[in-house]
Amino acid sequence: MARGSSGFVAGLTAAALAAVCFLAYQASANAPDSVVDPSAGAPGTATTASPSPKPAPPAQPLAVPADSDTGKRVVYALKDRRVWLVDDAEKALRTFTVMPSAVSPLPGVYAVTSRSGSIKGSDGVPIEHVVRFANVDDVSVGFSAAQDNSMQSPDPTLKTGGVRMKRPDGDAMWTFATVGAKVVVVP
């Protein structure tokens, strides 16, 4: 090989090495912080710092609300738009979302006062498995399922008390919440 070409190869090698170094720097500069633990020190070095504590696992998002009384009960969380059917052993047998009524009861403990198998709702929608538990300003408030399985937002101009759920959830509520059953409403 001629002497002039060896300088050319050395130049190409140096350029390639510089490109690799630049790309490696870019990759390390753009690496997310979660990949590197800054308290761990460099590989192969001893550290005296104690390991960081692991974050606490998140609370169960669908757990029965803590301040919802005890025993067998229906728990209705107004803000979460969610209902839990809780047995005597404090186990949630079922939880599901609901569409709140235009009129809502205050937080507190209630009891199922009456039930109807199939009627027309105060909004004109055919409903089933109606479980009533409160009265607010002469409006009866209760859980029900629309026979067409809809969960429309209530008309805010009407004073309706139907807390709507899907039909399978209405079936479960009907079986669980007989007259006298405890209903706990939480914020």
Side-chain angles (χ1 to χ4, degrees):
M1 192 183 299
R3 200 172 201 168
S5 65
S6 65
F8 178 74
V9 172
L12 280 178
T13 303
L17 184 58
V20 168
C21 288
F22 175 74
L23 291 174
Y25 168 76
Q26 266 192 326
S28 68
N30 292 322
D33 291 338
S34 62
V35 174
V36 179
D37 180 6
S39 67
T45 61
T47 59
T48 56
S50 60
S52 346
K54 290 184 179 180
Q60 285 186 315
L62 301 181
V64 178
D67 295 330
S68 65
D69 210 355
T70 60
K72 182 178 179 183
R73 65 200 182 279
V74 174
V75 177
Y76 174 29
L78 297 169
K79 184 182 85 169
D80 294 335
R81 298 180 170 199
R82 180 165 288 280
V83 167
W84 291 261
L85 305 179
V86 183
D87 67 10
D88 286 321
E90 298 299 316
K91 179 183 175 200
L93 302 174
R94 186 182 190 104
T95 184
F96 48 90
T97 57
V98 295
M99 178 57 65
S101 55
V103 175
S104 294
L106 293 173
V109 179
Y110 300 86
V112 173
T113 55
S114 67
R115 300 173 3 131
S116 297
S118 180
I119 61 171
K120 185 174 274 194
S122 55
D123 58 357
V125 174
I127 57 176
E128 64 186 13
H129 297 146
V130 181
V131 176
R132 295 177 201 86
F133 63 92
N135 282 303
V136 177
D137 298 328
D138 297 325
V139 175
S140 183
V141 179
F143 303 109
S144 63
Q147 290 179 1
D148 67 1
N149 211 32
S150 66
M151 287 179 42
Q152 302 299 321
S153 294
D155 182 343
T157 64
L158 298 176
K159 291 178 85 175
T160 59
V163 180
R164 294 287 163 78
M165 59 194 69
K166 295 289 188 181
R167 290 182 84 184
D169 300 324
D171 293 342
M173 176 69 77
W174 182 256
T175 302
F176 187 85
T178 57
V179 172
K182 186 187 331 183
V183 176
V184 180
V185 178
V186 297

